[in-house]
Every structure is written in C-alpha cells, then in structure tokens.
Amino acid sequence: MVFLMTIFFPLWRIFTVILITGTEGFDFVPSVAGNGFGRYEIGLLCLGMMQFHFGHPKMALEVLTEAVRVSQQQLFVLLRGSLKRTKSLKLKRLVASNHLAMAKFDLTVMKFST
C-alpha cells in the first residue's frame, strides 16, 4: 500500500501540473477563442492514460469519451464560426462546403450519441 502511495502521489502531482499548464508532453496550441478548452482536453487524455495504466479500463473509457464529447462541441463552434466568416466574405463555394461539413458533423454526432 505504501509503495502504491509513493508512486501515485507524484503521478497525481504531474497530472495536475499538466492540467494547469497544458504543456507537458504535448504540443500545446492555444485555442482560437482563447477559452482554454485545449488544456481541459489534454488533462482528460492524461487522466485516461493514467487510469488505463493503473488497470481501470472502464474509468479510462469514461474519461476518454468525455474528451471526445468536448472535442466535438469545440469542432461545432469552429464550423459555425467558419460558416459565418465565409458568408460575410460572400464565398459561395466555401459556404456550400461548410454546410456539407456541418451536415456530416450532425450525422456523426447523432450516430455517436445513440
């Protein structure tokens, strides 16, 4: 038990540093809106890897599912912003492409959530 505690607490400290800074072991790219979602996603991925490493695959799957869900919402926000920008610039082909991408996203999210 003492052996596990000596291993777990340094890992937990590293995990919290990763969650706060978002830079350890990953190429951190700040999000477009500057809202810090990238740090949360990196923290979730690291937590999932740590859970799996310690032999908790169900908990790791839950955490990684949450990371995917957050990434999908962020993708929708980026697609919507791109559509707004292409409409303002009156780029008809890109507007059509954005509509197709959003329709594909809707179909993918519906399949994932059911």
Side-chain angles (χ1 to χ4, degrees), residues 40-41 44-45 61-75 105 108-109 112:
Y40 181 64
E41 293 165 2
L44 286 173
L45 291 174
L61 182 63
E62 289 179 20
V63 171
L64 295 175
T65 303
E66 173 70 12
V68 168
R69 187 188 63 76
V70 170
S71 296
Q72 285 177 338
Q73 287 178 351
Q74 188 176 8
L75 176 63
F105 175 79
T108 305
V109 171
F112 180 71

Side-chain angles (χ1 to χ4, degrees), residues 31-104:
S31 60
V32 176
N35 51 14
F37 274 121
R39 292 179 181 179
Y40 181 64
E41 293 165 2
I42 290 171
L44 286 173
L45 291 174
C46 291
L47 178 61
M49 289 187 298
M50 185 175 73
Q51 293 288 354
F52 187 77
H53 179 73
F54 283 120
H56 304 288
K58 289 182 182 179
M59 293 174 73
L61 182 63
E62 289 179 20
V63 171
L64 295 175
T65 303
E66 173 70 12
V68 168
R69 187 188 63 76
V70 170
S71 296
Q72 285 177 338
Q73 287 178 351
Q74 188 176 8
L75 176 63
F76 181 72
V77 170
L78 291 174
L79 284 173
R80 200 173 54 199
S82 175
L83 179 64
K84 183 179 177 183
R85 178 92 169 136
T86 55
K87 281 184 178 179
S88 69
L89 294 173
K90 298 178 182 173
L91 303 170
K92 294 179 183 179
R93 290 185 181 172
L94 287 178
V95 169
S97 295
N98 279 336
H99 280 293
L100 287 174
M102 289 184 77
K104 183 178 177 183

Side-chain angles (χ1 to χ4, degrees), residues 10-30:
L11 285 175
W12 181 253
R13 206 170 20 190
I14 291 170
F15 168 73
T16 54
V17 168
I18 291 168
L19 184 61
I20 292 169
T21 61
T23 57
E24 182 67 28
F26 292 93
D27 291 333
F28 178 69
V29 178

